[in-house]
Amino acid sequence: MVSSPIAPRTRRRPEERRAEIIAEAASIALGEGLERITVRAVAERLGVRPGLITHYFPAVEDLVIAAFVQAIAHEREELIPAEGDPMQRMAQLVSRAEGPESRELSRLWLNARHLSRFRPALAEALEEQEAIDRDRLVELIEAAIVAGDVTEGVDPLAACIRILIAVDGVGAYANDPGAFEHDAYGHFVADVAEWALGLRAGALRRGG
Amino acid sequence: MVSSPIAPRTRRRPEERRAEIIAEAASIALGEGLERITVRAVAERLGVRPGLITHYFPAVEDLVIAAFVQAIAHEREELIPAEGDPMQRMAQLVSRAEGPESRELSRLWLNARHLSRFRPALAEALEEQEAIDRDRLVELIEAAIVAGDVTEGVDPLAACIRILIAVDGVGAYANDPGAFEHDAYGHFVADVAEWALGLRAGALRRGG
DNA sequence: CACGTTATTGGTCATGCGACCAATACCTTA
DNA sequence: TAAGGTATTGGTCGCATGACCAATAACGTG
């Protein structure tokens, strides 16, 4: 009957607790932004005292970086599928990048890109994630060439870079409240991808 | 001989002082970032007491917005020239966007785009500036069509949007420390502009 | 030249942040 | 089962921020 206001102290294995903290921080990063990852905020969400967060991450910046990497790595699976028909994967990548599903992710990238201005360590982590995306997309394009969907004359890395810049360009507007609608905007990634890969116009547009 | 440590109190016309404050804040915005625009920072730079800044801007957010608009409007003159041969202007726009001169400006855009996530008023101001850029670039493209440099079949607004997204895409890497070099990146804006405007390949590359 | 307006000062207050630390209680292990 | 390691607590400290306010002094105006 006496529901004690003080929660019983639960002790966990360090790795487990650490993972839990990072996961919670990643959730904050995606939903509220990296600068909202605060010792107190993470602690409160976990029903834990702030000092515990400091215990695992003496410097908050390290937690922020870990959270960013975790969130990006997790979302990557859906953005750049690892298996399946090359052109289908490419179409899904384009569709995801242009659709509303990627809004949170774009916001996070924007967030991290800006914050990198002040935090060299975050900038470094960000570049690593960029490199992973690049490698993955290059592989995908090479697979498309092997499959005969893309002409041999296409330089995979050049096309990859163009597509990723297009994704970031569209993502730059992730925080714009106004619903600016125009085909040139709504299909930019598809159009650039078709152009970069030498595909016929409309090949990558939804349902194309 | 007694150089008094206390500066004499100088009283200025309100509009003048206000402009001075905004200019200083804009300088901070470009050089250090919008979040570094603080009552104390601006006051110190101007050799003035913090309370004075609050007197002119009871809410700091309004100063931040004014500084952003001022900085963007000021830099726009160099990015999108208002006069001259259309293709020369287009070439300058492309050159500026790809060159290191625009780094500070790209950082500021990135900064504002991210901050817009938390500040609706800033988001609104940002969209206004975007609209101005769009109008200006559309005019430029229309002039190029009239001059016969661009085919009539090109939709000015569609091409404008593509070019601006390309600019933002490249600008997204403004805070990346690593000197990532690749033609597809270094000439992205030129390539997209040529593609969007139906120009021959290389027409807008430097010295093209 | 006197007066009133207000630009400017100097100081205070509450808030949220990261960091630090000693005390405590849980778990493992010997 | 006793002991030791450490995960966890509870509390403090210094710092930077925005906002607020009364006192003061410069300037325009009658």
Side-chain angles (χ1 to χ4, degrees), chain A residues 30-33 35 111 113-114 117-118 127 130 161-162 165 168-169 172-173 175-176 178 182 188 191 195, chain B residues 30-33 35 111 113-114 117-118 127 130 161-162 165 168-169 172-173 175-176 178 182 188 191 195:
Chain A
L30 271 171
E32 308 176 34
E35 38 275 283
N111 194 168
R113 292 190 188 287
H114 166 60
R117 177 173 185 177
F118 311 104
E127 288 197 309
E130 278 178 341
I161 291 172
R162 284 173 169 168
I165 298 178
D168 286 322
Y173 308 99
N175 290 325
D176 281 29
H182 192 290
F188 186 74
D191 294 344
W195 161 64
Chain B
L30 270 171
E32 306 176 35
E35 38 275 281
N111 195 167
R113 290 190 189 288
H114 166 60
R117 177 173 185 176
F118 312 103
E127 288 197 309
E130 278 178 342
I161 291 172
R162 285 173 167 167
I165 299 178
D168 286 322
Y173 307 100
N175 290 325
D176 280 29
H182 192 291
F188 186 74
D191 295 344
W195 161 64

Side-chain angles (χ1 to χ4, degrees), chain A residues 24-173:
Chain A
E24 202 60 49
S27 163
I28 295 178
L30 271 171
E32 308 176 34
L34 290 168
E35 38 275 283
R36 296 276 227 267
I37 297 179
T38 169
V39 172
R40 288 167 178 82
V42 175
E44 188 177 10
R45 276 179 168 229
L46 288 177
V48 142
R49 308 263 72 194
L52 186 59
I53 311 300
T54 297
H55 175 70
Y56 286 94
F57 292 90
V60 196
E61 179 172 357
D62 292 333
L63 173 57
V64 171
I65 294 172
F68 166 72
V69 171
Q70 164 111 341
I72 294 298
H74 182 261
E75 299 282 325
R76 179 155 34 224
E77 303 311 317
E78 304 171 23
L79 188 63
I80 312 184
E83 294 182 1
D85 172 68
M87 288 309 281
Q88 278 185 358
R89 284 192 280 163
M90 186 68 69
Q92 176 170 347
L93 163 62
V94 167
S95 169
R96 286 266 175 187
E98 290 173 345
E101 313 92 350
S102 65
R103 196 159 184 124
E104 268 196 345
L105 189 59
S106 296
R107 280 177 164 163
L108 180 58
W109 272 108
L110 207 53
N111 194 168
R113 292 190 188 287
H114 166 60
L115 233 55
S116 287
R117 177 173 185 177
F118 311 104
R119 320 221 180 154
L122 177 60
E124 198 178 339
L126 188 145
E127 288 197 309
E128 284 174 18
Q129 297 304 311
E130 278 178 341
I132 294 176
D133 278 346
R134 216 155 39 220
D135 292 347
R136 198 142 160 176
L137 185 50
V138 165
E139 277 181 33
L140 173 51
I141 295 174
E142 285 170 346
I145 293 178
V146 170
D149 295 319
V150 169
T151 313
E152 299 239 355
V154 170
D155 174 7
L157 180 56
C160 159
I161 291 172
R162 284 173 169 168
I163 294 172
L164 288 180
I165 298 178
V167 171
D168 286 322
V170 170
Y173 308 99

Side-chain angles (χ1 to χ4, degrees), chain B residues 194-195 197-204 207-208:
Chain B
E194 291 161 10
W195 161 64
L197 296 171
L199 303 174
R200 69 162 217 285
L204 285 172

Side-chain angles (χ1 to χ4, degrees), chain B residues 16-188:
Chain B
E16 195 183 339
R17 183 65 90 182
R18 191 181 167 87
E20 189 187 37
I21 292 173
I22 294 178
E24 202 61 48
S27 162
I28 295 178
L30 270 171
E32 306 176 35
L34 290 168
E35 38 275 281
R36 296 275 227 264
I37 297 180
T38 169
V39 173
R40 289 166 178 83
V42 175
E44 188 177 9
R45 276 179 169 229
L46 288 177
V48 141
R49 309 263 68 194
L52 186 59
I53 310 300
T54 298
H55 174 70
Y56 284 93
F57 292 90
V60 196
E61 179 171 357
D62 293 333
L63 173 57
V64 171
I65 293 173
F68 167 72
V69 171
Q70 165 111 343
I72 293 297
H74 182 262
E75 299 281 326
R76 179 157 31 227
E77 303 311 317
E78 303 170 22
L79 188 64
I80 313 184
E83 294 182 2
D85 172 67
M87 289 309 281
Q88 278 186 358
R89 286 192 280 162
M90 186 68 69
Q92 177 171 345
L93 164 62
V94 167
S95 168
R96 287 266 176 185
E98 291 173 344
E101 313 92 349
S102 65
R103 198 158 183 123
E104 267 196 346
L105 189 59
S106 296
R107 281 175 163 163
L108 180 58
W109 272 109
L110 207 53
N111 195 167
R113 290 190 189 288
H114 166 60
L115 234 55
S116 287
R117 177 173 185 176
F118 312 103
R119 322 226 178 150
L122 177 60
E124 198 178 340
L126 188 146
E127 288 197 309
E128 284 174 18
Q129 298 303 311
E130 278 178 342
I132 295 176
D133 278 347
R134 217 155 40 219
D135 292 346
R136 197 141 161 178
L137 184 50
V138 165
E139 276 183 33
L140 175 50
I141 295 173
E142 284 170 346
I145 294 177
V146 170
D149 295 318
V150 169
T151 313
E152 300 239 354
V154 170
D155 174 8
L157 180 56
C160 158
I161 291 172
R162 285 173 167 167
I163 294 172
L164 288 180
I165 299 178
V167 170
D168 286 322
V170 170
Y173 307 100
N175 290 325
D176 280 29
F180 180 70
E181 280 308 325
H182 192 291
D183 268 14
Y185 171 72
H187 296 116
F188 186 74

